[in-house]
Amino acid sequence: MSEKWLEARVIGNRHWTDALFSLRVEAPPLRFEAGQFVRIALDTRKGDAGSRVARPFSFVNPPDDPVLEFYGIVVPEGPLSPRLAGLKEGDSLYVATNPAGFLVLSELPDARSLWLVSTGTGIAPFLSMLRTGGPWERFEHVVLVQAVRYARELAYRELIDEIGRNRQSLKYITFVSRETHPASLAGRIPAALRDGRLERAAGLEISQSSHLMLCGNPDMLKDATAALAERGLRKHRRRNPGHISVESFW
Ligand SMILES: Cc1cc2nc3c(=O)[nH]c(=O)nc-3n(C[C@H](O)[C@H](O)[C@H](O)COP(=O)(O)OP(=O)(O)OC[C@H]3O[C@@H](n4cnc5c(N)ncnc54)[C@H](O)[C@@H]3O)c2cc1C
Ligand SMILES: NC(=O)c1ccc[n+]([C@@H]2O[C@H](COP(=O)([O-])OP(=O)(O)OC[C@H]3O[C@@H](n4cnc5c(N)ncnc54)[C@H](OP(=O)(O)O)[C@@H]3O)[C@@H](O)[C@H]2O)c1
């Protein structure tokens, strides 16, 4: 079946760094659950749907916000991301009609603490979730982990601080891997899971009553899942409930 598309209009494109951008888009209403993604697209030749280049992007906005927001990074040789980064107010793009994805709270078993663990733009689906009531109704503790190469890539700080002011059970931990940044942990998430630094920073133990959602770099998902498996935590499946849910961005 061919994909159905909605025409949408850019109302803002914030550049956090040369490579990181947040597109705000006006589109006809779309139904989705926080944590899901949708394919967005541009035509290579104007007006030629056959030349359409589409990629999945996670919603940053919560479902009840009529303005769609997508957080992206420029992959210099990539066919779509450099063009998305160059979009200006008033430009048009296409948004598919069928949001999808299983990195959502409704798929999770009961747990006491929720760990939302991201690298790079993988924080996007968690920002959407954190702006809904779900995490706060279901979990005693919520930890957001944002891992980036450089401190200037710690985007959405103001939004995260605002959520934290309203939701005191939120703990926010950052990693900066390629420069020294005293307010952040150094190195990578899997190492900090193994040596206990992540839990010490959060003041919270990871146990059988934790659920971890991992999103972003596929190598982080693999390495973090392995580190958690060493402690008896396993991937969550509908038929075999576990503690780890993942979404790989490539
Ligand atoms: C379910 C899902 C949700 C996604 N949500 C987002 C999102 O919210 N924001 C976002 O920026 N991307 C997201 N992506 C990735 C996105 O779809 C594109 O792959 C990305 O924008 C690059 O597109 P491209 O056409 O320029 O290059 P592509 O040909 O798609 O990718 C080329 C290479 O770039 C690298 N790459 C791709 N995406 C990223 C990334 N996000 N961060 C670092 N390196 C990357 C990988 O090495 C990949 O092989 C998601 C992917 C999936 C599968
Ligand atoms: N970030 C930039 O400055 C920049 C600028 C322009 C374009 N880009 C493009 O963007 C892409 C990279 O994007 P990104 O920096 O958001 O993503 P990334 O390479 O996934 O890095 C984000 C964070 O994930 C960490 N990480 C990588 N592999 C890991 C693993 N196996 N386990 C745990 N953590 C891991 C990185 O640590 P390490 O630092 O240790 O790898 C870094 O802290 C590249 O395609 C690049 O061309 C990036």
Side-chain angles (χ1 to χ4, degrees):
M1 205 177 70
S2 71
E3 211 159 13
K4 291 201 179 69
W5 296 98
L6 301 166
E7 195 161 353
R9 194 157 297 282
V10 174
I11 58 169
N13 194 353
R14 173 173 181 174
H15 284 254
W16 305 87
T17 66
D18 286 349
L20 291 169
F21 60 94
S22 291
L23 268 180
R24 286 171 61 76
V25 170
E26 235 169 32
L30 272 182
R31 283 167 69 89
F32 69 93
E33 182 174 347
Q36 289 192 308
F37 60 86
V38 69
R39 280 159 61 79
I40 63 177
L42 291 171
D43 290 346
T44 307
R45 291 181 298 278
K46 205 168 169 8
D48 175 6
S51 71
R52 197 155 290 174
V53 179
R55 293 285 184 272
F57 271 76
S58 304
F59 295 97
V60 172
N61 57 297
D64 62 4
D65 187 339
V67 174
L68 307 184
E69 183 164 337
F70 304 106
Y71 176 43
I73 189 160
V74 176
V75 177
E77 306 76 31
L80 189 64
S81 56
R83 295 179 59 207
L84 292 174
L87 291 176
K88 305 249 179 310
E89 193 179 334
D91 287 343
S92 58
L93 75 161
Y94 296 94
V95 178
T97 53
N98 55 343
F102 296 102
L103 193 78
V104 291
L105 294 181
S106 62
E107 289 287 333
L108 264 48
D110 287 337
R112 289 184 64 187
S113 61
L114 175 67
W115 294 69
L116 306 173
V117 179
S118 68
T119 56
T121 53
I123 194 169
F126 301 144
L127 295 172
S128 179
M129 275 177 212
L130 290 171
R131 286 192 279 170
T132 68
W136 325 103
E137 285 153 16
R138 287 196 51 194
F139 303 94
E140 266 173 55
H141 306 282
V142 181
V143 184
L144 174 66
V145 179
Q146 181 181 27
V148 297
R149 294 179 179 186
Y150 301 101
R152 61 179 176 276
E153 296 168 341
L154 291 170
Y156 286 103
R157 182 63 201 247
E158 294 149 36
L159 172 64
I160 295 163
D161 284 348
E162 187 193 321
I163 296 168
R165 276 194 295 279
N166 296 321
R167 309 287 191 179
Q168 258 116 51
S169 57
L170 177 68
K171 294 173 197 294
Y172 172 53
I173 311 291
T174 57
F175 282 79
V176 172
S177 55
R178 298 198 185 184
E179 64 184 354
T180 305
H181 186 245
S184 298
L185 297 178
R188 289 180 168 187
I189 293 162
L193 281 168
R194 287 197 170 93
D195 65 18
R197 276 184 305 137
L198 178 52
E199 286 155 286
R200 278 199 297 283
L204 189 67
E205 206 188 327
I206 294 176
S207 70
Q208 295 289 323
S209 62
S210 310
H211 198 99
L212 294 98
M213 298 180 111
L214 314 177
C215 186
N217 185 316
D219 292 330
M220 181 278 281
L221 307 188
K222 187 161 57 70
D223 296 348
T225 300
L228 293 165
E230 289 161 17
R231 305 174 48 166
L233 276 68
R234 60 174 186 276
K235 280 251 184 90
H236 173 64
R237 315 233 181 260
R238 277 184 182 170
R239 289 189 188 172
N240 183 16
H243 320 90
I244 308 165
S245 306
V246 302
E247 184 167 86
S248 175
F249 269 11
W250 66 93

